[in-house]
Amino acid sequence: MKKIVAVFTALALLLSLCAWFAQQAQATWEEQYDLGIRYLSEGNYEEAIIAFSAAIEINPKRASAYVGRGDAYARSEDTAANRASAKADYQKAIELDETLEEAYVGLADVYVRQGDLNKAKEILQEGADRAESSGKIKEKLEELGRTGQPDQPDQLARSEQTDRSTHESQRVEDIRFSRFEEQGKEYAVITGINSTGGVQWTYRTMRSDMTELTHMEEIGRTNGLYYFNERGTIVALDPDSGEVVWKNEEFGGCSISFDFAPNGDLFLCGYYGPDFFRVDANGKTIKRIQKVDERYFWPSELWYRGGYVEITMGGPPDGDGDHIVTVSLEENTQADASAWRQAYLRYIRNEDANPYVAELLDSQFQLIYVDGDDIPELWVCCSNIAAGALICTFDGEGVNDMFISEYGNLKYIEGSGQFYTDGGHMDVYWDGIYMLRNGQFIELSHGNFGAEDNANVQYDENGEPVYVYNWDGRDMTEQEYEAELAKAFDVFAARDVFDSPMYDYYQIQQVLSE
């Protein structure tokens, strides 16, 4: 009797252990399956395949994991190998569970990609007869133009042509760059999103060993191409198809700063790689300079300036703070530091016959630093304050100037590019906020105030002139005007150009000739 009880006890223990292991396996399968579904929704198809494969290894009899892995293969790069893998998974899912609607739809899609619409419709008809639910199957049949009979060859050709034209008519409106880090590896998934919000194409980069700096970096979309850096290789994609137009493997850098020229040339620098790299819109390397300047250290920004490129250093070895290295685009060497001096000399002497530059013999001059580069701007106070003033900048090729009308003043926040001017007389006044960027003067805001008729000024009960105020085209009170001006420009952080010593006509030439 004791022996029988022992047998039953052992049997119960064994059944309990089996049930426990089954529960653990079920929990692990669901974890891997759910992980695969998440990766699939994120467009991370490579990791989705790994997760679904793990679920299949735990329980090879669950059809839904095969469908998930088939979907991941089908949405991956459209290659013969991926189509074959997707087809095998969908067929296995149907073998395990012939009621799964998603397996029939997925398998039909593979046949559509292979150009076999007849087989795709045959699979869908089979699924409609067997699946528990057939709503998606019916939608797919309607999409393929179901006739109930196999298509004739000419009908098939027309269907394929229609399918291609429908696909091609969808233009990509947004490109999304997503970078991932997993198990010491980094990679990126790039997706093209069409006008309906659907995924038009997907591109996955290589998986690369992680370092302290990222190697997968988006550059952006310009001149009809989409650019990114894939571990030192510059890749250009067709934005509408996601196909590689060209690759340039000569850069080799990472943690990049970049800018484009209007003709499509791309300029690059990085923490790793060459100090200066230039590639044209066709992927051809124009110049690769390994070392531009001994002070090149921690590059943080690169700007195309027309005749040259500026590279801002975030922290040189000598600890003196930010500084800028300039690279001439004519010779692709470091720009001649005297170029801006010579340009300003020509301007002052009016050797280029500039119609905006009057006789400057009686003018006053000053060199100021409005934007953040090492090249100063030239301030010219024309003969007297009533004659107005000029602010000039060197854009790499010549001098750009901006005239400030009579009785003009200038305040600037050094290194920011932002400056403020005001002027006017006889009950008509104005204020202007400007930005100096890439050698161009850009108006940010403008206000004016004064008498409605300065030939017939009206006065209030206190004897003060009655003025009207307007800021950026909007009429307002004096208090509102002052508030807008204060919001647009921090006068307390600014320097007044008249607070520094001026040079006369001969002195400024001597300074520029040093």
Side-chain angles (χ1 to χ4, degrees), residues 87-144:
K87 181 191 291 187
D89 277 338
Y90 291 136
Q91 289 173 334
K92 183 63 176 178
I94 293 172
E95 177 187 324
L96 292 171
D97 185 354
E98 62 179 18
T99 67
L100 278 180
E101 180 183 28
E102 294 81 1
Y104 293 103
V105 174
L107 183 56
D109 270 329
V110 174
Y111 281 112
V112 169
R113 291 190 185 187
Q114 293 176 337
D116 193 346
L117 293 186
N118 285 342
K119 185 63 175 177
K121 293 176 181 179
E122 181 184 325
I123 292 295
L124 292 170
Q125 292 285 10
E126 181 182 329
D129 295 335
R130 296 179 178 178
E132 291 181 350
S133 174
S134 58
K136 294 180 181 178
I137 292 176
K138 290 178 180 178
E139 288 179 7
K140 192 66 180 178
L141 279 168
E142 291 174 1
E143 179 186 328
L144 298 180

Side-chain angles (χ1 to χ4, degrees), residues 117-248:
L117 293 186
N118 285 342
K119 185 63 175 177
K121 293 176 181 179
E122 181 184 325
I123 292 295
L124 292 170
Q125 292 285 10
E126 181 182 329
D129 295 335
R130 296 179 178 178
E132 291 181 350
S133 174
S134 58
K136 294 180 181 178
I137 292 176
K138 290 178 180 178
E139 288 179 7
K140 192 66 180 178
L141 279 168
E142 291 174 1
E143 179 186 328
L144 298 180
R146 176 166 60 104
T147 64
Q149 299 293 331
D151 291 316
Q152 298 300 319
D154 59 334
Q155 292 176 312
L156 177 60
R158 285 196 298 271
S159 296
E160 288 179 306
Q161 184 177 4
T162 301
D163 186 66
R164 284 197 302 271
S165 63
T166 300
H167 178 77
E168 291 169 359
S169 67
Q170 291 182 296
R171 308 291 293 181
V172 167
E173 293 192 350
D174 184 27
I175 297 178
R176 299 173 186 173
F177 183 96
S178 302
R179 182 177 166 275
F180 300 92
E181 297 180 1
E182 291 181 358
Q183 299 177 342
K185 300 282 188 179
E186 65 168 324
Y187 61 95
V189 177
I190 308 167
T191 51
I193 309 300
N194 61 33
S195 58
T196 63
V199 176
Q200 189 81 352
W201 53 263
T202 300
Y203 182 100
R204 290 182 309 285
T205 68
M206 69 172 72
R207 291 170 62 87
S208 173
D209 290 334
M210 290 175 58
T211 69
E212 72 278 10
L213 301 176
T214 178
H215 292 268
M216 305 298 171
E217 304 167 280
E218 183 178 41
I219 296 175
R221 185 174 179 176
T222 188
N223 293 299
L225 295 174
Y226 174 81
Y227 297 81
F228 60 95
N229 179 29
E230 183 176 7
R231 197 169 182 83
T233 295
I234 307 304
V235 184
L237 299 182
D238 181 323
D240 290 319
S241 67
E243 295 178 354
V244 175
V245 177
W246 53 258
K247 289 185 178 183
N248 183 303

Side-chain angles (χ1 to χ4, degrees), residues 24-37 51 55 58:
Q24 296 305 307
Q26 172 67 12
T28 306
W29 183 92
E30 288 180 351
E31 289 175 1
Q32 293 298 324
Y33 179 78
D34 291 344
L35 186 61
I37 292 296
I58 295 168

Side-chain angles (χ1 to χ4, degrees), residues 391-412:
I391 179 172
C392 310
T393 189
F394 177 65
D395 67 1
E397 296 178 342
V399 175
N400 287 338
D401 60 12
M402 173 182 160
F403 178 71
I404 298 174
S405 65
E406 63 273 12
Y407 298 97
N409 186 25
L410 183 137
K411 293 181 174 65
Y412 63 99

Side-chain angles (χ1 to χ4, degrees), residues 273-291:
D275 288 0
F276 177 80
F277 189 78
R278 181 181 184 183
V279 58
D280 68 17
N282 296 315
K284 178 183 177 182
T285 300
I286 298 177
K287 192 69 175 180
R288 187 182 195 275
I289 303 177
Q290 191 64 31
K291 194 66 178 176

